């Protein structure tokens, strides 16, 4: 059901005996936060004045002496949660002192990016289609303290844990790296993914496909393209649905990019296109049927890809995925149909389907910041007519070492990515989309994560160094 105004919301709540209204928002890290209100206290002022909350309790946001922030529900995002009789609404964050969107609100950044494109007159719509991948494990435990650290994950799709023997006995085991598009009974997640798809459909998120991915326990749900902010909203809804449906099956879902050693990691490929007056702007008579504008967009993404890595691959674990040999795009190249390139041009004969697929992002990314960052890099390419260079229509994984060294690489670590973001940030600040305050806070937050991890010995280090 489409809602257009607060009045629509209030009428629906009353007519359908909705007991609770859930307000949600996303922090800098990309984590979803919610607060549940009894429907009886939600009124017109809730939408006009907002709901106050403590911004100092969230990492990277406010200090204790200036903690007040306000949630402003966006009525057009309201969706009924099928699992309980609640109405969920996504919120923008405002600063009560100024009444403006809080500069560190990730959704606000994405909204400013959309507005910037319109203000340039280049396009009136940016469309993004995401393909989030994730793992579902039957068993997942982990922990760290000053004297120990451990992690253990297990999937009944492969024989890796005696405690799952009974469940494994109901399936055909899946060989390593052999799960792509697997069918039942090897694919034990088909029914679960269908439940996820049904839940998303009931929340007005259109799922185009779902299937098993390459690794045991790995899955993909592709949702239909939408405008930039709406698509980022839907990624957050998808993550929430996936985790909760998996829990209802007694399993655990994770969007961690690389939870399993020696298996493919999870990516979140993003398909970009731009439109003006319902005309696709990425179709033309250039390479692979692309327009000059699309090639410039690609040139901008390639130029700024190392700074983008800080937003699109925001965890230390992200760089366990971005290594050769596991179908992850480690080389900064563009190509038609070539899945080993960081920027792929999917094959199509339809002008309206011409697009650029950015294959380097992963699902740990905050979708609002990642989407906006890639768009701003592409816009820099368009505004400055950045030539993407020659396309690489060959298997980049099998290039001779001497030739491979000639092609730029994505970052090899989160620290490298943050250093590049620090040095190459001006393209993000054009039009006031990002600002130094947000970028500095993001870098500081992520460097704290790195330092926390770097100070702790890992089980692998004990294996390698204990007997030295």
């Amino acid at each position: 059901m489409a809602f257009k105004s607060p009045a629509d919301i209030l009428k629906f709540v009353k007519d359908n005996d909705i007991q609770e209204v859930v307000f949600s928002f996303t922090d800098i890290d990309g984590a979803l936060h919610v607060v549940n209100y009894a429907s009886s206290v939600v009124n017109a002022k809730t939408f006009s004045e907002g709901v106050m909350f403590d911004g100092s309790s969230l990492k990277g946001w406010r200090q204790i002496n200036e903690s007040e922030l306000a949630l402003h529900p966006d009525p057009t995002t309201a969706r009924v949660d099928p699992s309980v009789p609640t109405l969920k609404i996504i919120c923008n964050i405002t600063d009560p002192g100024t009444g403006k969107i809080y500069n560190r609100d990730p959704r606000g950044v994405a909204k400013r990016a959309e507005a910037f494109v319109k203000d340039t007159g280049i396009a009136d719509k940016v469309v993004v289609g995401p393909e989030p991948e994730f793992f579902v494990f039957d068993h997942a435990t982990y922990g760290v303290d000053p004297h120990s650290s451990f992690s253990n994950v297990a999937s009944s799709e492969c024989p890796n844990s005696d405690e799952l023997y009974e469940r494994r006995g109901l399936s055909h085991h899946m060989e390593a790296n052999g799960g792509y598009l697997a069918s039942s009974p090897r694919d034990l997640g088909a029914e679960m993914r269908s439940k996820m798809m049904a839940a998303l459909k009931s929340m007005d998120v259109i799922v185009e496909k779902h299937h098993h991915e390459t690794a045991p326990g790995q899955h993909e749900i592709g949702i239909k393209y939408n405008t930039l902010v709406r698509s980022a909203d839907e990624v957050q809804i998808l993550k929430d649905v996936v985790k909760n449906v998996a829990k209802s099956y007694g399993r655990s879902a994770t969007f961690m990019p690389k939870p399993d050693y020696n298996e493919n990691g999870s990516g979140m490929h993003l398909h970009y296109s731009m439109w003006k007056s319902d005309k696709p702007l990425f179709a033309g008579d250039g390479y692979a049927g692309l327009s000059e504008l699309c090639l410039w967009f690609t040139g901008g993404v390639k130029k700024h890809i190392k700074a983008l890595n800080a937003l699109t691959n925001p965890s230390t674990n992200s760089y366990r995925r971005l290594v050769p040999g596991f179908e992850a795009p480690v080389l900064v190249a563009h190509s038609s149909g070539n899945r080993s390139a960081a920027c792929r041009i999917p094959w199509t004969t339809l002008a309206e389907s011409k697009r650029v697929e950015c294959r380097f992002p992963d699902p740990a990314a905050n979708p609002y910041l990642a989407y906006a960052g890639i768009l701003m890099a592409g816009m820099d390419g368009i505004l400055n007519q950045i030539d993407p260079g020659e396309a690489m229509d060959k298997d980049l994984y099998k290039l001779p070492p001497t030739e491979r060294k000639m092609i730029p690489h994505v970052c090899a670590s989160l620290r490298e990515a943050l250093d590049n973001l620090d040095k190459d940030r001006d393209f993000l600040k054009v039009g006031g989309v990002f600002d130094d305050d947000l970028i500095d806070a993001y870098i500081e937050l992520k460097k704290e994560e790195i330092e926390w991890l770097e100070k702790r010995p890992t089980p692998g280090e004990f294996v390698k160094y204990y007997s030295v």
Side-chain angles (χ1 to χ4, degrees):
M1 180 177 179
F3 299 93
K4 296 181 180 180
S5 68
D8 291 340
I9 300 290
L10 298 175
K11 184 177 186 303
F12 181 84
V13 167
K14 181 179 179 181
D15 292 348
N16 293 273
D17 194 28
I18 300 295
Q19 298 299 305
E20 295 183 6
V21 179
V22 182
F23 299 131
S24 69
F25 65 96
T26 299
D27 68 14
I28 292 180
D29 262 338
L32 192 69
H33 298 268
V34 299
V35 56
N36 293 41
Y37 273 80
S39 59
S40 59
V41 302
V42 177
N43 53 42
K45 285 187 176 181
T46 306
F47 292 86
S48 61
E49 298 180 3
V51 175
M52 304 303 292
F53 73 100
D54 178 11
S56 68
S57 294
L58 299 173
K59 293 184 297 182
W61 275 21
R62 284 251 162 133
Q63 299 299 318
I64 191 68
N65 61 310
E66 52 172 8
S67 60
E68 291 295 312
L69 288 172
L71 300 175
H72 276 268
D74 180 346
T76 64
T77 67
R79 292 170 169 87
V80 177
D81 188 326
S83 59
V84 288
T86 62
L87 192 67
K88 289 188 172 180
I89 307 177
I90 297 171
C91 299
N92 299 311
I93 311 299
T94 63
D95 184 336
T98 65
K100 296 180 180 179
I101 296 291
Y102 180 44
N103 70 299
R104 296 188 187 182
D105 173 20
R107 192 169 192 261
V109 174
K111 289 170 71 71
R112 290 194 294 273
E114 281 190 324
F116 169 69
V117 172
K118 291 180 181 179
D119 289 344
T120 64
I122 291 171
D124 53 33
K125 184 169 64 174
V126 178
V127 168
V128 185
E131 296 178 323
E133 298 171 346
F134 55 94
F135 281 82
V136 176
F137 294 112
D138 297 82
H139 170 85
T141 56
Y142 50 88
V144 60
D145 63 41
H147 302 289
S148 67
S149 60
F150 70 95
S151 64
N152 184 277
V153 294
S155 167
S156 51
E157 288 184 343
C158 62
N160 63 344
S161 175
D162 289 340
E163 64 192 82
L164 298 178
Y165 178 79
E166 184 177 348
R167 185 175 287 180
R168 291 204 321 270
L170 301 176
S171 69
H172 294 263
H173 296 165
M174 192 173 292
E175 65 275 17
N177 298 311
Y180 184 62
L181 303 186
S183 61
S184 298
R186 287 197 306 146
D187 175 9
L188 294 179
E191 177 188 301
M192 178 185 61
R193 292 195 310 272
S194 292
K195 288 286 181 66
M196 294 171 179
M197 181 176 180
L200 288 165
K201 181 180 178 181
S202 73
M203 300 178 77
D204 298 325
V205 178
I206 301 174
V207 177
E208 290 193 323
K209 62 179 180 179
H210 69 78
H211 60 82
H212 200 285
E213 261 297 340
T214 304
Q218 189 183 30
H219 310 271
E220 178 182 308
I221 295 179
I223 54 181
K224 187 176 181 179
Y225 59 84
N226 208 335
T227 54
L228 186 141
V229 173
R230 293 300 189 210
S231 178
D233 288 342
E234 290 174 349
V235 167
Q236 293 297 79
I237 294 169
L238 180 145
K239 286 185 174 183
D240 189 49
V241 165
V242 164
K243 291 175 183 177
N244 281 288
V245 171
K247 181 181 177 183
S248 73
Y249 275 77
R251 296 173 181 172
S252 174
T254 179
F255 290 87
M256 184 178 180
K258 186 81 168 184
D260 267 346
Y261 169 73
N262 216 32
E263 295 280 4
N264 282 16
S266 290
M268 183 172 69
H269 306 153
L270 300 176
H271 298 251
Y272 276 75
S273 63
M274 300 175 75
W275 298 69
K276 187 171 185 179
S277 302
D278 293 326
K279 177 184 177 182
L281 299 181
F282 277 12
D285 55 6
Y287 171 77
L290 300 179
S291 65
E292 194 171 44
L293 182 139
C294 181
L295 291 170
W296 290 337
F297 183 97
T298 305
V301 172
K302 290 175 65 177
K303 176 182 177 180
H304 298 294
I305 195 167
K306 288 199 170 189
L308 289 176
N309 282 151
L311 302 174
T312 60
N313 310 93
S315 70
T316 59
N317 186 255
S318 298
Y319 300 88
R320 309 274 193 253
R321 167 182 170 255
L322 292 177
V323 294
F326 293 94
E327 298 186 17
V330 296
L331 299 179
V332 184
H334 71 285
S335 179
S336 175
N338 188 345
R339 284 177 165 79
S340 62
C343 296
R344 184 176 81 99
I345 315 304
W347 186 89
T348 179
T349 59
L350 301 175
E352 59 268 28
S353 297
K354 288 295 181 183
R355 61 197 188 276
V356 176
E357 178 191 15
C358 297
R359 294 182 60 81
F360 53 93
D362 68 54
N366 182 323
Y368 300 106
L369 297 181
Y371 279 24
I374 291 173
L375 175 60
M376 294 306 293
M379 285 298 294
D380 185 58
I382 292 170
L383 293 171
N384 293 290
Q385 300 183 6
I386 297 174
D387 188 339
E390 293 295 321
M392 297 291 292
D393 293 327
K394 59 179 72 174
D395 187 345
L396 301 179
Y397 301 129
K398 296 181 179 179
L399 290 178
T402 53
E403 190 173 352
R404 190 183 302 119
K405 288 181 180 179
M406 301 297 292
I407 303 174
H409 284 57
V410 298
C411 290
S413 70
L414 181 57
R415 187 177 290 280
E416 180 187 355
L418 293 172
D419 288 343
N420 275 275
L421 175 60
D422 197 14
K423 292 181 293 185
D424 180 21
R425 61 169 68 188
D426 288 347
F427 73 97
L428 294 170
K429 299 191 295 179
V430 176
V433 175
F434 289 73
D435 62 20
D436 284 319
D437 176 71
L438 169 60
I439 295 170
D440 288 341
Y442 184 86
I443 291 172
E444 181 181 359
L445 183 66
K446 291 299 175 182
K447 284 191 172 180
E448 286 176 2
E449 289 181 16
I450 294 171
E451 290 168 4
W452 187 90
L453 289 161
E454 286 179 341
K455 292 175 181 177
R456 285 163 170 77
T458 67
E461 287 175 318
F462 275 85
V463 171
K464 289 293 184 181
Y465 307 128
Y466 190 83
S467 297
V468 170

